[in-house]
Amino acid sequence: MALARTTEPYGGTAAGSHSGTPAAVTTSAATPEPAVVSNTTLSSGSADQLAALTARAAGAPAACLQLVDGNRLRAYGAWGSPACDDATAEIGGIVARTGEALAVPDARTDDRVPDGLLRSQGGAYLGHPVHDRDGTVLGVCCVHDPLPREWTREQSAAVAEAARVATLLIGEQLARHELEQQHRFLDAVLDSLHDGVTACDADGRIVFVNERMRRMWGDRVPVADDNDDPGLLRALRGERIRDEPLSLQGAGRRTRHYLMDAQPIHGANGRVVGAVQAVQDVTRQRRAERFRSCELAVTTALAEAPSIEAAGPRVLEAVVATLDWVHAELWLVEDGTIRAAARWSTPGWPAGIPVPARLEFGQGLAGRAWQVDKPLWIRDVGRPQSLISPDTAQERLHTALAIPVHDGGGPIGVLTVFADAIEDPEDELVALMSGIAAHLGQFVERRRVEDLQRQLVRSKNEYLALVGHELRTPLTSISAYTELLGGADEATLVRDGPRLIRVIERNTTQLRDIINELLELSALDAGHADVRRAPMDLAEVVRDVVDRTRTAIDGAPVEIDADLPRKLILPGDKERLRHIVENLLGTAVRYSPDGGRVGVSLRSSGRTAVLKVSDAATDVPRAEREQIFTGHYRTSRGHDRVLPGSGLGLILSRTVVEKHQGSVELTGGDTGTTVLIRLPMDQF
């Protein structure tokens, strides 16, 4: 017989189709809705066996077990006549609806039987309701005889007993089904947890591992740091573990951090029947805490250091400790190359990692990061074409990360870190290192601003000193000689007037030169003025200045020796370069002792013009020579020479030369001082 076949609703036909038919065949508000039993509640084999036992006990040729399915009765077990389930479903609805036993000796003559198969074919029917433990009707257990008959008390009792057995079977099956549903629900809940959960029985055998624990550990059980006992075994011994930290080495030798809870599971008699353990991965939280600590350490190191070179070791130490890596380097861009400014290796790490002093643009890891100006993550520096030399890797360093360091104007350095294990790129690490590199760049920019502020203060003081010293001297002379002219009589004016006027004119010219040079220097520094380069003959300019200077010092105890080529063409601002030569030659003459010689030479070296002006200022201290070149300063001999100066000549000369993309160098010893000026001969 086919099972789980859908039959008509309770009562078979519609109400009122026959006198004596039940008033309703479907569930109403006044009638409790019959329980719904899943088709998996009772197996077909056990239902058929129960139907067979019921038929034998009642002495009937057919028996059937029907269960409530919504508003229908569905046959789940039958024995005897194949038509039993179809015929009896019509009248079984009455039993299911009323919840009371029903005995029909002859279906053709019993008004309680609705029109349908049973009433047309006739026969006897005996049915008892199947209840659950709460009294709700779950189905009907019935017997059927195609011939009319009277049912005895013993037969009715046998069917009632079969109904009670069905109740027990269904109750057991429902309990198992409910327990299975609970297990599935619990499994789904545990698998959705962020914690890994493991449970064992009283013998320590693992009976449950949720999905998170499988992903974290596979078949392994985490082990505590302080002993070799897993948390489950400790819990089986009665120990309760709360928030116990674990630090274990995971894949790639990276340390991961966990918090473990574990406790015993007690049975009804109080005995330990198992243990459960929960493990939470807190590596990300611990790393975030260490990142914050690292940023604090870097900020503190930079706040206390006078320079980035001084702060470098402490910064690298904080980075290495935070990342659990082994080596770090700080590189700074300098003179067209990148220089190793600081390095740090974790304590206990083998020393002797060779680090080149400098790298060219694009060379090595630091040079390449400088070139591409973006973070570089190398998974294994030991592989070919990893940018790291084999001597540096030495089969000990593996993963490397390089982060460019920027200030307001662009890349100024590179921060590199190395691990002794192979690791895949992590955005969090790149973000941390980028943040530290930003701190370094801000530190350099802040120091540069502070240096500029100090230079501005120094320049202001130098300008004020110049105004108070250099400007006062000619003004004093002008004022004094003007006063003499104003108070002189006619004879004195005729005799001394021309000489006094010449002194006033000379000091007026000197004052005008000082003001012009001051304005020129200020304009060049502020960017309001610039050099205009055009092809010019520097040899001709130098030769003309030498001739004019020789004329100006005619009769003075100083000689000028010149070694000049016939022609030397380069791109330059002719008038400003002429002014430079005048300043240098005038300074050399002023600082040379009596009987001294001033040397002027000009030559080409490759594509560079080299102008050399030397004096024999043996009586000018070296410290004073440095000061007169780098600032508004003059020595005590600067005022008693035949060529008066402003004190601005050398600083203005350096500014103009640098605007020409050239350089100024001060050399010399006890026998004299030499100023070297190098100017490019190629047009930019």
Side-chain angles (χ1 to χ4, degrees), residues 205-496:
R205 293 187 294 265
I206 300 297
V207 296
F208 176 80
V209 179
N210 75 338
E211 185 62 28
R212 179 61 62 128
M213 182 67 84
R214 291 190 188 95
R215 289 201 300 266
M216 287 196 305
W217 300 100
D219 295 332
R220 289 199 307 134
V221 177
V223 179
D225 284 341
D226 55 351
N227 56 61
D228 294 333
D229 290 335
L232 286 174
L233 297 183
R234 293 165 59 190
L236 283 177
R237 294 194 292 266
E239 183 177 354
R240 288 180 175 268
I241 304 171
R242 290 291 179 269
D243 294 331
E244 181 171 299
L246 301 175
S247 297
L248 303 175
Q249 202 170 68
R253 293 194 290 175
R254 287 300 303 274
T255 300
R256 302 197 66 84
H257 303 279
Y258 305 90
L259 290 179
M260 181 180 69
D261 292 345
Q263 66 180 37
I265 301 173
H266 296 90
N269 57 2
R271 297 182 61 183
V272 176
V273 297
V276 63
Q277 171 184 262
V279 177
Q280 181 183 8
D281 190 340
V282 294
T283 304
R284 186 180 295 271
Q285 295 91 314
R286 293 289 177 86
R287 178 172 293 175
E289 294 172 1
R290 297 181 71 177
F291 284 1
R292 288 192 292 269
S293 300
C294 179
E295 290 183 344
L296 178 60
V298 169
T299 303
T300 302
L302 294 176
E304 297 174 352
S307 65
I308 191 171
E309 288 86 352
R314 289 187 59 186
V315 171
L316 299 181
E317 179 182 6
V319 170
V320 168
T322 299
L323 300 186
D324 282 336
W325 288 18
V326 296
H327 182 70
E329 300 162 359
L330 176 61
W331 298 77
L332 297 178
V333 176
E334 185 178 273
D335 297 332
T337 61
I338 191 164
R339 171 177 62 88
R343 69 191 70 179
W344 179 269
S345 296
T346 186
W349 179 254
I353 297 177
V355 178
R358 290 182 179 271
L359 292 172
E360 298 294 330
F361 186 69
Q363 180 185 9
L365 178 60
R368 180 62 61 83
W370 174 28
Q371 180 185 45
V372 300
D373 195 19
K374 65 180 181 180
L376 294 180
W377 184 293
I378 299 181
R379 190 169 181 271
D380 189 1
V381 300
R383 302 188 65 179
Q385 300 179 348
S386 70
L387 303 176
I388 301 296
S389 67
D391 294 337
T392 300
Q394 292 184 352
E395 299 182 355
R396 295 180 297 175
L397 300 179
H398 292 283
T399 296
L401 174 61
I403 303 290
V405 178
H406 293 86
D407 65 356
I412 61 169
V414 174
L415 183 62
T416 59
V417 287
F418 298 85
D420 60 344
I422 297 176
E423 300 190 19
D424 294 324
E426 292 190 37
D427 293 339
E428 289 182 345
L429 297 186
V430 175
L432 169 70
M433 294 296 294
S434 298
I436 293 175
H439 281 302
L440 294 174
Q442 292 170 2
F443 172 83
V444 172
E445 192 167 6
R446 185 170 61 252
R447 285 290 184 266
R448 182 181 294 116
V449 170
E450 293 172 355
D451 290 342
L452 288 175
Q453 290 175 341
R454 285 192 293 268
Q455 292 177 14
L456 288 174
V457 172
R458 185 169 60 250
S459 296
K460 180 190 70 174
N461 294 335
E462 290 172 348
Y463 279 119
L464 291 176
L466 176 67
V467 170
H469 187 274
E470 298 295 342
L471 296 181
R472 184 178 300 170
T473 300
L475 285 174
T476 300
S477 298
I478 293 171
S479 176
Y481 282 91
T482 302
E483 185 178 349
L484 288 175
L485 286 173
D489 54 20
E490 184 177 352
T492 303
L493 287 175
V494 173
R495 183 182 69 251
D496 297 330

Side-chain angles (χ1 to χ4, degrees), residues 8 33 59 95 129 185-186 191 205 248 262 287 325-326 334 357 396 453 465 483 509 568 612 682:
E8 295 298 320
E33 182 178 353
V95 179
F185 180 81
L186 181 59
D191 283 342
R205 293 187 294 265
L248 303 175
R287 178 172 293 175
W325 288 18
V326 296
E334 185 178 273
R396 295 180 297 175
Q453 290 175 341
E483 185 178 349
T509 300
L568 196 154
K612 180 187 299 184
D682 294 325

Side-chain angles (χ1 to χ4, degrees), residues 514-528:
I514 292 174
I515 294 174
N516 288 338
E517 288 186 342
L518 189 60
L519 292 175
E520 175 78 357
L521 181 60
S522 177
L524 288 172
D525 286 340
H528 300 311

